[in-house]
Amino acid sequence: MSLLIDDNDTNWYKSIIQAVNDGILVIDFYGVVQIINKEYTNITGVTESEIVGELLRDVRPGAELPEVLLDGKIRSGVFRKEGKNNYIVDMAPIYNGNKIIGAVSVCKSLKEVHHLTQELNRSKKRLKQLEEMVESFHRTTYSFEDIVGQNKGLLNAIHTAKKAAGTDFNILILGESGTGKELFAQAIHHISSRNSHPFVPVNCAAIPSTLLESELFGYEEGAFTSSKKGGKSGLFDLADNGTLFLDEIGDMPLEMQAKVLRVMQDGVIRKVGSLHERKVNVRVIAATNKDLEKMISKERFRADLYYRLNTFQIKIPSLKSRKDDIPLLVDYFLQNANLHSLSPDESFIDLLMSYDWPGNIRELKNTIHYAMNMTESSRLKAGDLPDTINRNGQRSGEKTLERIIEETERDAILDVLNKTGTDLKGKKLAAKKLNISLATLYNKISRLDIPF
Ligand SMILES: Nc1ncnc2c1ncn2[C@@H]1O[C@H](COP(=O)(O)OP(=O)(O)OP(=O)(O)O)[C@@H](O)[C@H]1O
Ligand SMILES: [Mg+2]
């Protein structure tokens, strides 16, 4: 009988078997262990001197491998436990011609399987999150049909927006808070030729200025201490072939304005920590409620970026200047809430018409929702409106002294910070110039909502 162990090439086989990363045990025709490798010892704890040359059945009474010698059947995925170690085993006969001359078992530690399963689950979860994110970018919720109003100023804005949507120019949307800037941006993307690609909104005021660059452009692995393995794609990347909506662009720090302008001019981005540039094809729609021209004169906004964005300018009128649309909007919000049975009486509309709506359509929408919940009949009356509207109905937009002082303070601090810079050194210098302590400066920055 020619046994595997007697073969002249034994050393070759032994070396190969030792190099395999799974545990291997070979028995001969008699059930005597001929070979084990190091990984087998790692997994089971059984050493070569304990087992080689012994009958497997004697050393490991539960072993199933000797049965393979008898029935010649392959077994796979058999679960085994050895102390704390769990592992799975595949078993197979070894043939010479059609005669069984031995059997081999191959074991895989479940530690590694467990680790791989965990890794796979983590990757699956991340993939799902990314899929959802990309899908939500595509899903622009609003289109032009959702923009309600007949006012001439509004119709003008819609006309310009539709014209702009047919081109590939950048767009600047101006309007007070709550006038519908995001609604317009989405509607434009929706009918543009880019509509099968992502619409990616970024709120420049909500992202801390220190993170804005890596959010917009992404970063390479190792770009900074907390950077993720494999790096990260930026929002410009995600918006490739689609639309990037830079909301609240008036709050973007000056250094970032310069970098965004570069992308818009050259069409290339570079990740933080990378030497390579990559081409992107993105249409930028920017929006703000700030007076950018005033900011330019105070050197708080770059004139060159303004001109680049301003190819199409869409000015959305404030609700105060288009009160004629209030009844239409009230109907629209009632219908949208599926409350067709509710209707406003004259006192209700009159009171809404006499209010100045500093929060514009968003405030009107919230107010209607409030009244719908407060009313006890099917007619909405002035009494169903919140106190702010009732009390301030005659308000003419005059500013309180407190507001005037706050705004002046904010402007003065921003002026100085723009000259000194906004890093720690700049802030220390600004505090000195303003003759206040650094702590007071930080307090004011946070209280006055200064974006540095
Ligand atoms: N003409 C309109 N018709 C119907 N709904 C509108 C209209 N304009 C705005 N809205 C609604 O008002 C809310 C505010 O709109 P949006 O978020 O687009 O305003 P915004 O100008 O981006 O505000 P902010 O400056 O605060 O970010 C949204 O719920 C939007 O659907
Ligand atoms: Mg907005």
Side-chain angles (χ1 to χ4, degrees):
M1 165 113 14
S2 122
L3 294 181
L4 188 64
I5 198 75
D6 292 333
D7 203 304
N8 281 339
D9 289 334
T10 299
N11 283 337
W12 266 91
Y13 291 133
K14 270 198 161 172
S15 304
I16 293 168
I17 287 171
Q18 288 302 346
V20 174
N21 204 19
D22 293 330
I24 293 179
L25 175 142
V26 181
I27 54 174
D28 63 16
F29 174 75
Y30 303 104
V32 174
V33 178
Q34 295 291 349
I35 305 171
I36 64 167
N37 70 353
K38 287 194 194 89
E39 185 60 16
Y40 184 85
T41 305
N42 288 341
I43 296 174
T44 62
V46 179
T47 62
E48 206 169 346
S49 61
E50 286 169 334
I51 201 167
V52 172
E54 303 289 332
L55 264 175
L56 179 61
R57 195 156 271 149
D58 292 348
V59 187
R60 299 172 70 77
E64 207 177 311
L65 195 60
E67 285 168 32
V68 176
L69 295 173
L70 302 175
D71 63 21
K73 282 195 184 134
I74 289 177
R75 291 149 169 81
S76 59
V78 178
F79 182 76
R80 275 284 148 78
K81 202 171 157 70
E82 187 73 42
K84 269 192 219 148
N85 283 343
N86 294 330
Y87 58 100
I88 41 176
V89 188
D90 294 336
M91 287 166 258
I94 303 171
Y95 282 95
N96 185 7
N98 54 8
K99 262 183 130 177
I100 294 179
I101 56 161
V104 56
S105 96
V106 180
C107 330
K108 199 176 253 314
S109 164
L110 279 183
K111 250 195 234 149
E112 197 186 338
V113 176
H114 185 65
H115 176 76
L116 288 175
T117 316
Q118 271 185 333
E119 187 70 35
L120 187 67
N121 284 341
R122 261 199 301 273
S123 301
K124 272 188 184 160
K125 214 162 130 191
R126 179 86 189 116
L127 186 67
K128 192 154 186 295
Q129 278 173 350
L130 288 173
E131 273 173 4
E132 278 171 10
M133 199 163 131
V134 170
E135 206 186 305
S136 76
F137 286 154
H138 276 280
R139 230 187 297 129
T140 42
T141 346
Y142 294 115
S143 63
F144 279 105
E145 285 88 74
D146 299 301
I147 303 180
V148 176
Q150 292 298 325
N151 170 275
K152 219 170 142 234
L154 182 82
L155 293 180
N156 247 332
I158 293 175
H159 179 71
T160 316
K162 284 185 172 165
K163 244 173 56 190
T167 73
D168 214 23
F169 290 119
N170 300 310
I171 299 172
L172 180 62
I173 304 179
L174 300 175
E176 290 176 11
S177 164
T179 44
K181 296 186 290 296
E182 178 139 14
L183 180 69
F184 266 75
Q186 289 197 14
I188 291 170
H189 174 80
H190 195 75
I191 61 161
S192 79
S193 62
R194 295 174 172 265
N195 62 8
S196 59
H197 297 281
F199 174 85
V200 181
V202 195
N203 188 330
C204 304
I207 302 176
S209 54
T210 45
L211 293 184
L212 195 55
E213 182 174 4
S214 59
E215 283 295 315
L216 286 177
F217 303 121
Y219 57 76
E220 286 294 353
E221 179 172 337
F224 37 86
T225 31
S226 61
S227 58
K228 269 199 258 170
K229 219 171 161 219
K232 191 179 154 188
S233 292
L235 296 167
F236 265 103
D237 268 306
L238 289 175
D240 203 9
N241 295 315
T243 305
L244 185 69
F245 177 48
L246 294 176
D247 202 2
E248 319 279 7
I249 193 146
D251 292 293
M252 185 181 274
L254 279 168
E255 325 88 83
M256 274 313 298
Q257 292 177 22
K259 291 186 174 157
V260 167
L261 176 67
R262 241 202 93 223
V263 185
M264 291 170 61
Q265 280 169 338
D266 306 341
V268 290
I269 54 164
R270 186 194 313 197
K271 286 184 173 180
V272 176
S274 167
L275 296 173
H276 303 287
E277 294 195 321
R278 204 176 90 77
K279 266 206 133 14
V280 283
N281 173 3
V282 170
R283 186 230 281 253
V284 172
I285 303 184
T288 183
N289 56 15
K290 300 260 158 72
D291 182 342
L292 291 185
E293 288 187 5
K294 193 168 149 205
M295 286 182 75
I296 292 171
S297 71
K298 293 187 168 182
E299 292 181 12
R300 295 204 322 243
F301 199 85
R302 291 184 67 112
D304 42 11
L305 177 60
Y306 176 72
Y307 294 122
R308 192 90 202 177
L309 289 168
N310 207 25
T311 341
F312 267 104
Q313 186 183 103
I314 299 167
K315 260 205 180 100
I316 309 181
S318 65
L319 185 54
K320 185 175 150 191
S321 70
R322 46 181 280 235
K323 286 187 179 172
D324 43 331
D325 278 341
I326 287 180
L328 266 179
L329 284 159
V330 171
D331 274 356
Y332 174 75
F333 292 133
L334 288 176
Q335 272 174 34
N336 254 6
N338 255 333
L339 289 172
H340 307 274
S341 54
L342 274 184
S343 62
D345 77 1
E346 218 180 293
S347 71
F348 187 84
I349 297 288
D350 278 354
L351 194 50
L352 295 181
M353 298 288 259
S354 66
Y355 181 64
D356 274 351
W357 301 106
N360 292 289
I361 317 266
R362 179 177 296 113
E363 188 182 6
L364 176 65
K365 187 172 172 179
N366 292 340
T367 303
I368 303 302
H369 286 170
Y370 174 93
M372 286 178 332
N373 288 302
M374 290 308 283
T375 187
E376 282 167 1
S377 75
S378 59
R379 292 291 272 176
L380 293 170
K381 292 174 290 302
D384 297 323
L385 288 165
D387 285 351
T388 35
I389 313 274
N390 266 313
R391 254 187 283 122
N392 298 322
Q394 310 310 325
R395 196 169 81 173
S396 57
E398 280 159 348
K399 290 181 186 166
T400 59
L401 181 59
E402 197 183 3
R403 273 249 339 256
I404 296 170
I405 294 172
E406 266 183 16
E407 278 175 17
T408 316
E409 223 182 343
R410 190 175 191 274
D411 281 351
I413 293 174
L414 271 171
D415 268 354
V416 177
L417 279 173
N418 270 316
K419 286 190 192 107
T420 60
T422 57
D423 57 3
L424 182 63
K425 211 168 124 207
K427 283 188 181 128
K428 279 186 179 162
L429 193 61
K432 205 166 157 202
K433 280 191 178 214
L434 292 163
N435 199 18
I436 54 176
S437 72
L438 186 61
T440 309
L441 178 65
Y442 271 110
N443 258 329
K444 287 186 188 293
I445 285 177
S446 119
R447 186 171 55 82
L448 301 171
D449 206 16
I450 294 173
F452 297 122

